[in-house]
């Protein structure tokens, strides 16, 4: 058990390369003992399936001299692993060296990574599948995955995890793996809440303000007229949420305040996931 905890700590450290962890003020640390999530936020968190960010670390690992190349004598062909259910298919082969790096830098198991590679490859035209690690899948294709198709935050998820220069929501395999790692059962509450905050931050300004909260509620209730809250109901709900979560009373919810609320939700980690 101690060894497993040590490995997890190493994973978390590597995954946060270039991502300084915000320090939580002492006053925002959850009090000892069980505490219930404020009832007005329970519906938000139970309804939402979102997201350890390993993308930067994965890209840094691949950029190392020799990364992705064989180190055997005479430049022998690299060993590779086949994805489950597609043994022998050339499009499903993942170099063992890359597989080892992905296991080290994410919360995913070997089988989960191989399955992710298979599912990602299947989103590409057949002629591109052998080069799945070096091409991007358009957002429109990513959103055909059943695990995302019905998710009310599907566009925000693609936006947050995509590293495309033009921010078009397309994903590389490492973006895709990064997303699945954050959504996995093994990812920590701290990692999940950090990414959930980014997904809920619709205008990417680093805080959840009234407009973000309104969009959040609309995503959860649906776009139909019958499901929408009236202006009075929306205003009252947002006022209640801020009253319970906005500790410094500046009219917004910052990351520390959001994580403080999440820390009091016992089912957040288990419900905050995507399983292929």
């Amino acid at each position: 058990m101690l060894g497993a905890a040590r490995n997890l700590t190493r994973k978390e450290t590597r995954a946060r390369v270039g991502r300084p962890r915000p320090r939580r003020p002492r006053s925002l640390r959850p009090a000892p003992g069980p505490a219930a999530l404020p009832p007005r936020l329970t519906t938000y968190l139970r309804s939402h399936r979102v997201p350890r960010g390993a993308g930067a670390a994965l890209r840094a690992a691949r950029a190392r001299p020799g990364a992705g190349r064989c180190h055997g004598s005479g430049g022998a062909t690299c060993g590779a692993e086949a994805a489950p259910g597609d043994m022998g298919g050339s499009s499903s082969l993942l170099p063992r060296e890359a597989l080892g790096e992905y296991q080290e830098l994410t919360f995913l198991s070997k089988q989960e990574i191989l399955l992710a590679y298979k599912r990602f490859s299947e989103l590409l035209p057949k002629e591109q599948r052998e080069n799945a690690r070096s091409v991007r899948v358009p957002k429109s294709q990513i959103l055909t995955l059943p695990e995302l198709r019905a998710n009310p935050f599907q566009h925000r998820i693609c936006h947050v995890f995509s590293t495309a220069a033009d921010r078009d929501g397309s994903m590389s395999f490492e973006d895709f793996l990064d997303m699945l790692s954050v959504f996995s059962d093994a990812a920590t509450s701290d990692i999940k809440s950090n990414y959930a905050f980014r997904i809920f931050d619709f205008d990417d300004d680093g805080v959840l303000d009234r407009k973000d909260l309104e969009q959040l509620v609309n995503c959860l209730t649906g776009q139909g007229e019958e499901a929408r809250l009236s202006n009075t109901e929306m205003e009252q709900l947002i006022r209640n949420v801020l009253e319970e979560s906005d500790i410094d009373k500046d009219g917004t919810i910052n990351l520390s305040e959001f994580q403080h609320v999440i820390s009091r939700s016992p089912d957040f980690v288990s419900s905050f996931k995507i399983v292929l």
Side-chain angles (χ1 to χ4, degrees):
M1 184 178 294
L2 182 59
R6 195 177 297 123
N7 287 336
L8 186 59
T9 301
R10 184 172 69 253
K11 283 183 179 181
E12 290 181 355
T13 301
R14 295 191 183 191
R16 294 177 184 177
V17 173
R19 296 178 181 174
R21 179 183 177 183
R23 299 189 65 179
R24 181 182 298 175
R26 185 177 300 275
S27 61
L28 297 183
R29 294 175 185 167
L37 180 69
R40 299 180 187 93
L41 286 178
T42 300
T43 303
Y44 291 22
L45 302 176
R46 285 182 177 171
S47 302
H48 178 249
R49 292 184 179 182
V50 190
R52 157 181 172 165
L58 289 170
R59 290 184 287 278
R62 289 192 65 190
R64 292 200 309 267
R69 297 200 297 269
C70 297
H71 298 288
S73 60
T77 302
C78 289
E81 296 280 354
D86 196 19
M87 300 300 291
S90 60
S91 65
S92 64
L93 295 180
L94 190 62
R96 287 198 183 102
E97 181 178 311
L99 179 59
E101 288 181 345
Y102 294 150
Q103 282 183 269
E104 186 69 18
L105 297 169
T106 70
F107 288 113
L108 302 173
S109 68
K110 171 183 171 180
Q111 291 304 312
E112 287 172 329
I113 293 168
L114 291 172
L115 177 58
Y117 188 72
K118 178 177 183 290
R119 294 290 298 275
F120 184 82
S121 299
E122 290 171 349
L123 296 173
L124 293 166
K126 289 185 178 180
E127 63 271 15
Q128 293 184 347
R129 291 180 183 178
E130 290 188 8
N131 301 312
R133 294 174 64 215
S134 60
V135 298
R136 304 190 71 84
V137 172
K139 183 173 83 169
S140 58
Q141 280 296 99
I142 295 291
L143 296 182
T144 64
L145 289 167
E147 296 81 6
L148 284 177
R149 193 160 50 214
N151 192 305
F153 300 96
Q154 54 180 243
H155 296 289
R156 286 299 301 167
I157 291 172
C158 288
H159 174 79
V160 167
F161 286 97
S162 172
T163 58
D166 58 1
R167 307 303 292 169
D168 62 358
S170 64
M171 287 193 185
S172 66
F173 174 61
E174 290 178 357
D175 294 341
F176 187 68
L177 209 58
D178 197 1
M179 176 187 73
L180 294 178
S181 179
V182 169
F183 276 115
S184 70
D185 284 327
T188 65
S189 177
D190 185 54
I191 293 292
K192 286 177 179 286
S193 61
N194 190 297
Y195 275 87
F197 181 85
R198 291 177 59 187
I199 289 168
F200 295 156
D201 182 13
F202 288 86
D203 54 9
D204 299 313
D205 64 352
V207 295
L208 304 185
D209 56 21
R210 286 176 170 271
K211 289 185 178 179
D212 292 321
L213 295 175
E214 182 174 345
Q215 286 184 267
L216 171 59
V217 173
N218 285 334
C219 281
L220 293 173
T221 58
Q223 300 300 315
E225 289 298 323
E226 295 181 1
R228 278 186 177 276
L229 299 181
S230 67
N231 291 338
T232 301
E233 291 172 329
M234 179 70 76
E235 177 59 31
Q236 184 62 50
L237 179 58
I238 291 175
R239 187 183 301 119
N240 291 340
V241 170
L242 288 173
E243 181 180 331
E244 295 173 346
S245 309
D246 180 17
I247 296 175
D248 59 11
K249 303 304 178 185
D250 65 350
T252 65
I253 301 172
N254 60 36
L255 177 59
S256 293
E257 292 168 335
F258 181 76
Q259 289 182 318
H260 176 55
V261 171
I262 293 300
S263 70
R264 296 152 57 196
S265 177
D267 61 346
F268 172 71
V269 173
S270 61
S271 64
F272 200 70
K273 65 182 179 181
I274 287 179
V275 179
L276 291 181

